[in-house]
Amino acid sequence: MERMKVAFFEVDEWQRDYLRRSFPDASYDDGPLTAANAASYADAEIVAVRTYTNVDDALLAVLPSLKLLLSMTTGTDHVDLDACKRRALPVCNVTGYSDAAVAEHVFALLLAIAKNILPSAVKAHEDAGFRRRLQGFELKGKTFGIVGCGAIGLQAARIANGFGMKVIVYDIVHHDDWASENNFSYVPLDELLAKADAVTLHVPLNRHTRGLIGKEAFTKMKTGAVLLNTSRGEVVDTEALLAALEPGKLKGAGLDVLDGENFIADHDLSEAERRLCALPNVVVTPHNAYNSVEALTRRLDSTVANVRAFSENGAPGLKDRVA
Ligand code: NAD
């Protein structure tokens, strides 16, 4: 089959060098694909993007040659899948590439809060009087609540078992074999919120999960619990989170994602987010949980395999097809 025109977006120098070994003639851009730059890629037949590219009808309309869309992400909330289906455009994401990276990041956030790591690092050279304020808590014996237990949630459950935590899960799909093999039980969301000392979110962002953790959920959560969000910012209502943190209802929050960040390259923080980031018991990382060398290599390998499969055999050879 004749070589197809491929364009990769949102790939930094390291990723470009890696991909160039397989596709020396492809186009590479470290920024997102937008309606403004799409005209330069009008002949692209395969396009690979990440979360900062908002794939909607308007963007698809200016890509007349497009035959395959690859999202080098697990979440596909930045892609209008219905618009792609209407155009019979196959779309693939990448599943499972960052399970370990994200689940380990959840515990980096939880331990940073449990052990007061950020203020401790600042105070390390100051006098011992600070120690009482830096007193933390143990994970052993605590209850770990997982909201959405797919690939990443399952990995987080395994790690939580290693810490000696009791694991409870809320999910709309139940895998009884996963539950027995990994020592957890499925419970309704309200029960999870009432019992968990740490609640970690791993649901995809969609119309059912947007704002899932809002005012009502925070009211149901245990006093002194920690919220961890490495899924998508919009799953949590930021104002309601602030209202739960400021009076001390929650012990802390570890957030890898913030509401609305996806389409803002250098995310301008809202007033609520500025207040959130200023709280000493909140640890914010810049959507970086997936960012391990192992995860990115898996993601690129999976993307390379899909480009090759499509070039050689068309849609039947694709892996992780979502539309
Ligand atoms: P997955 O599809 O394997 O698991 C998602 C789970 O959520 C499934 O078990 C599903 O049944 C459950 N679910 C779906 N809707 C639900 C609902 N309304 N209520 C309860 N449970 C529901 O996905 P994954 O690989 O575990 O990834 C989860 C999310 O993590 C992704 O969609 C993405 O948004 C996010 N993510 C973030 C990063 C990061 O760097 N922060 C990296 C990868 C993925």
Side-chain angles (χ1 to χ4, degrees), residues 74-75 77 97-99 102 148-153 170-173 202-206 208-209 230-232 256-257 287-290:
T74 301
D77 43 285
Y97 77 94
S98 63
D99 304 351
V102 179
C149 191
I152 295 170
Y170 166 68
D171 199 303
I172 49 171
V173 178
H202 300 293
V203 287
L205 175 63
N206 57 37
H208 303 291
T209 60
T230 58
S231 62
R232 288 289 183 264
D256 187 50
V257 285
H287 198 153
N288 198 48
Y290 66 92

